[in-house]
Amino acid sequence: MRFGVPRSPSPSPVRRQAPRRRSGFGIPRNRSDLDSDSDSDTESVASSSSSSSDSFAYESESQVPVPIRQKRHGRPSQTIEEQCFMEDTIASIRLRVKYRDAYEDWEQQTRKDAFNTARQEQTASTALRRRSELQSQSHQERQLAAIHTKQMEEVQAQLSNFKLMQEQTERGLKERWDKRSTAVWSSVEKVISQAEEKVRRKLEEEAERRRAEEAMRAKLLQEKKEREEKERREQEEKRKAQEREAEALKLRKEQEAREAAQEEERKKFGLKTPLEDWQRARSTLMKLKGTPMRLVKSDRAKKSAWSAARRQMVSKVGQLNNDPQRNAGIAQEILTIMRPNPNFPEEIYFALLSSLSKAILLQTEIEVAAEKRTAINIAQLVIILLAELPQFGDIFWAKLVQRTGGWAIPVALPAQDLDGSDMEGDQAKRRKVMGYSDSEDRKETNAEYTARVAGIMRVYFQIIMTPHPKPLDPTFSMSRYWTYFARMAKAPQLLLSSVAPELLYVGLEVGGAQARHTWGAQWVKLLGMFYGGATEGLRGSKDHLIGGKNPEGISARVRVQLEIERIMASPPT
């Protein structure tokens, strides 16, 4: 392969024009010319030998071999001219050999630079061509890989189609085979079932006949046993009826004797039954609403006097605080309002007693629900009023029973009211007699009712457990505390209500420890019965726990249990 070598852009050096001289190969004409030529040749040879470094020459004259002169036989020795000529010739050759031309040096260097440039360009072009070939080869490989991938996907798709077609064909063949097999087996089973049905009908007919015979025999035997059993039961029932009649007669006689003894004892001590206490309070309330209030509201002057005194008393009740002296002063102010000079007429007096009782109970429902300690202040006021105002005890008790239902006694309400009206069928009236504070918009919930009744009963327990400076009505004596818990213990239907454990807790918290000091072992025995009802249930049944299964009853039952434990853990005073 041939390469074009570019020429260097540098200008070529100018050849130095050597002085024109005579040919060294000619024979000089005379000695002087020979001498001058020898001198110039010598200088020229010296300058050439000093300036040229890469021509073929010896480094010094001593290295020049001395030509061996062969003796030529038969020839005469050279003359001086011949020797000079020979020397000139040798000097000329030596000068020619040692001369170094600058242009030739430049041309040679230019060739080297051109060759180096050509080699660099060849290397760059070779690398570029190699990169281009690699890129082209990579692009072709990617294209080939993409083609192979596409072809593979096509092959896979065709294989999938072939497989799907094969599965469809196999499924169709299987379905046809299954249908054929099902049809064959169904026909076989149909034939077998028909044969079995014939045999089964025969067996059933035979079994039915046998069952009928067995049933007939069993029926006759059963009828015989029933007649015998009936005769035996009739005899047993007749005997038991006679025994029950004798037992009932005995129990009735014992009950009558016990009731007669209790009646005599109650009459002796002035005690009444729970129902009689409720009837007394209910009768007082009806009389109060029937005569005094009707007369006062029908007369304008009486109504005006009643309203003015009522407003003064209500404002005084609302001024109660924790100062006993201040509360005693408020009680005296209320007494002053109730006993003017001259005194109120009887109907206005009883109407004011009713209004005063209602105001105290409403104040109780508001304050005691927020703070239990306010029950002490209200109880102090009521004790003073009970001691100073005639007939206030009966009216206050009637209003208290009205706001709490039968829980103040305690007693389960009867089916009929005092006027003979039915309370079982009229739920609205029964809720009103039970003390629920319902309105036209909403009904009072059990939780609200329990909290309100508990507040009123806290004041009642505080009244009967506080020492009285003067004798009060027996309804507000300390003995009513024992009576209340004894009556509650005898009324399981009341203890199963969610209200009962809350009232028991309130009563125990107010006077439980004081009652233990007063009644001793008898009170402890009564507390043990309530504790058993709260933990093990009434009569040992977990289904009859005090408070029932209501969430409010459960929490109140736990409080009763804890309060009894606190009373028993405290040292007796």
Side-chain angles (χ1 to χ4, degrees), residues 280 386 393-394 397 468 470-477 480:
R280 170 199 167 196
L386 288 172
D394 291 339
W397 173 249
H468 303 155
K470 295 182 180 181
L472 301 180
D473 188 276
T475 309
F476 300 95
S477 63
R480 293 289 295 192

Side-chain angles (χ1 to χ4, degrees), residues 278-484:
W278 180 80
Q279 290 173 348
R280 170 199 167 196
R282 187 71 177 161
S283 176
T284 303
L285 184 64
M286 288 183 174
K287 291 179 181 179
L288 185 64
K289 289 184 177 181
T291 304
M293 296 302 297
R294 181 172 53 82
L295 293 176
V296 168
K297 290 183 179 180
S298 61
D299 190 301
R300 180 175 297 179
K302 294 179 179 180
K303 183 177 180 181
S304 177
W306 167 71
S307 298
R310 180 176 61 87
R311 286 193 296 270
Q312 293 178 10
M313 289 189 301
V314 170
S315 63
K316 296 299 180 182
V317 172
Q319 296 175 6
L320 294 174
N321 52 33
N322 296 325
D323 187 0
Q325 296 180 357
R326 174 58 181 163
N327 295 336
I330 293 174
Q332 293 300 324
E333 293 176 0
I334 294 175
L335 292 175
T336 302
I337 296 171
M338 289 294 299
R339 295 183 297 193
N341 190 13
N343 293 330
F344 289 116
E346 184 178 349
E347 57 272 14
I348 296 178
Y349 178 75
F350 282 108
L352 288 175
L353 290 180
S354 176
S355 300
L356 177 60
S357 301
K358 183 178 179 180
I360 293 173
L361 293 174
L362 291 177
Q363 188 71 17
T364 299
E365 293 174 359
I366 295 173
E367 292 191 2
V368 177
E371 178 56 50
K372 296 186 293 185
R373 290 180 298 179
T374 57
I376 300 175
N377 305 327
I378 299 175
Q380 291 174 353
L381 174 64
V382 173
I383 291 172
I384 296 174
L385 296 178
L386 288 172
E388 299 295 335
L389 293 176
Q391 304 297 323
F392 179 68
D394 291 339
I395 295 177
F396 182 76
W397 173 249
K399 299 296 289 186
L400 190 147
V401 173
Q402 180 189 13
R403 303 293 296 180
T404 61
W407 291 108
I409 297 171
V411 65
L413 297 183
Q416 292 182 347
D417 203 352
L418 290 182
D419 56 1
S421 59
D422 184 22
M423 293 191 298
E424 291 292 338
D426 191 352
Q427 291 297 321
K429 183 176 181 179
R430 186 171 183 83
R431 286 177 62 88
K432 184 177 181 181
V433 175
M434 290 178 64
Y436 280 91
S437 181
D438 296 337
S439 61
E440 296 180 357
D441 299 334
R442 62 184 294 272
K443 292 184 177 181
E444 187 178 27
T445 63
N446 290 333
E448 294 171 345
Y449 174 77
T450 302
R452 186 171 56 80
V453 172
I456 296 175
M457 292 303 299
R458 183 178 290 275
V459 172
Y460 178 69
F461 288 129
Q462 195 69 47
I463 292 171
I464 62 179
M465 295 303 290
T466 301
H468 303 155
K470 295 182 180 181
L472 301 180
D473 188 276
T475 309
F476 300 95
S477 63
M478 188 177 180
S479 60
R480 293 289 295 192
Y481 189 83
W482 173 271
T483 302
Y484 186 88

Side-chain angles (χ1 to χ4, degrees), residues 194-206:
Q194 290 175 356
E196 290 178 349
E197 183 66 22
K198 291 180 181 179
V199 175
R200 187 180 59 80
R201 280 198 300 268
K202 291 181 180 180
L203 295 175
E204 286 181 354
E205 292 174 358
E206 185 67 22

Side-chain angles (χ1 to χ4, degrees), residues 18-270:
R20 195 176 182 83
R21 55 188 177 87
R22 292 177 301 181
S23 175
F25 296 98
I27 299 173
R29 294 180 179 179
N30 48 33
R31 182 67 180 175
S32 61
D33 293 334
L34 181 62
D35 296 334
S36 61
D37 289 338
S38 299
D39 297 335
S40 62
D41 288 340
T42 303
E43 295 176 359
S44 176
V45 170
S47 63
S48 296
S49 61
S50 62
S51 62
S52 178
S53 62
D54 56 354
S55 298
F56 179 77
Y58 295 101
E59 294 180 358
S60 63
E61 293 293 335
S62 60
Q63 295 179 358
V64 177
V66 179
I68 301 173
R69 296 181 180 177
Q70 298 180 357
K71 293 183 178 182
R72 296 182 180 181
H73 300 281
R75 290 189 65 183
S77 59
Q78 294 178 351
T79 61
I80 296 174
E81 289 83 1
E82 291 177 350
Q83 292 179 355
C84 291
F85 178 73
M86 184 63 69
E87 293 175 357
D88 289 340
T89 300
I90 292 170
S92 177
I93 292 171
R94 187 177 296 163
L95 181 62
R96 175 65 62 181
V97 170
K98 293 183 177 181
Y99 179 70
R100 184 174 181 178
D101 192 354
Y103 181 78
E104 291 179 354
D105 294 340
W106 170 80
E107 188 174 7
Q108 186 177 8
Q109 186 64 34
T110 301
R111 287 193 187 97
K112 290 182 181 180
D113 295 341
F115 180 75
N116 292 332
T117 302
R119 286 186 64 182
Q120 293 176 359
E121 291 180 355
Q122 181 187 10
T123 302
S125 62
T126 302
L128 181 62
R129 184 172 66 258
R130 181 61 179 171
R131 286 194 299 272
S132 177
E133 290 176 355
L134 291 175
Q135 292 177 357
S136 176
Q137 183 179 0
S138 176
H139 180 66
Q140 291 177 359
E141 289 178 353
R142 286 195 298 271
Q143 289 181 346
L144 185 60
I147 292 171
H148 289 170
T149 302
K150 184 177 181 181
Q151 291 176 353
M152 182 62 70
E153 292 176 354
E154 293 176 354
V155 170
Q156 292 291 341
Q158 292 179 1
L159 291 176
S160 299
N161 293 331
F162 290 155
K163 187 176 181 180
L164 182 61
M165 292 174 62
Q166 183 180 2
E167 291 178 354
Q168 292 176 352
T169 304
E170 291 178 355
R171 192 182 302 110
L173 293 174
K174 187 176 182 300
E175 289 177 356
R176 289 196 296 272
W177 175 262
D178 292 341
K179 289 180 180 179
R180 179 179 177 278
S181 178
T182 304
V184 171
W185 280 106
S186 62
S187 62
V188 172
E189 289 177 356
K190 184 177 181 181
V191 173
I192 295 172
S193 63
Q194 290 175 356
E196 290 178 349
E197 183 66 22
K198 291 180 181 179
V199 175
R200 187 180 59 80
R201 280 198 300 268
K202 291 181 180 180
L203 295 175
E204 286 181 354
E205 292 174 358
E206 185 67 22
E208 185 67 25
R209 185 180 60 80
R210 287 196 299 268
R211 282 197 299 270
E213 294 177 356
E214 292 290 337
M216 183 60 67
R217 288 194 297 269
K219 183 177 180 182
L220 295 175
L221 183 61
Q222 183 67 23
E223 289 178 354
K224 183 180 178 181
K225 289 182 178 180
E226 287 179 355
R227 286 194 300 271
E228 294 176 354
E229 183 67 23
K230 184 177 180 182
E231 293 175 357
R232 188 183 63 80
R233 281 200 305 270
E234 288 177 354
Q235 294 177 359
E236 185 69 20
E237 288 177 358
K238 186 177 180 180
R239 184 182 61 81
K240 289 183 178 180
Q242 293 175 355
E243 292 179 356
R244 283 197 299 270
E245 289 178 359
E247 185 69 22
L249 181 60
K250 181 180 179 182
L251 291 176
R252 187 162 56 252
K253 290 181 179 180
E254 292 178 355
Q255 181 68 22
E256 290 176 356
R258 187 166 52 254
E259 289 179 355
Q262 290 177 357
E263 183 68 22
E264 291 293 332
E265 189 175 359
R266 282 198 302 271
K267 289 180 179 180
K268 181 180 180 181
F269 292 100

Side-chain angles (χ1 to χ4, degrees), residues 458 461-462 464-465 478 481-482 485 503-520 522-524 526-527 560 563-573:
R458 183 178 290 275
F461 288 129
Q462 195 69 47
I464 62 179
M465 295 303 290
M478 188 177 180
Y481 189 83
W482 173 271
F485 281 87
L503 300 184
L504 290 176
Y505 164 71
V506 171
L508 293 174
E509 187 181 25
V510 172
Q514 186 178 352
R516 181 188 177 189
H517 173 69
T518 303
W519 291 291
Q522 294 298 323
W523 176 251
V524 172
L526 188 61
L527 290 182
V560 170
E563 187 62 27
I564 293 175
E565 293 175 355
R566 185 189 67 81
I567 293 172
M568 298 304 300
S570 61
T573 57

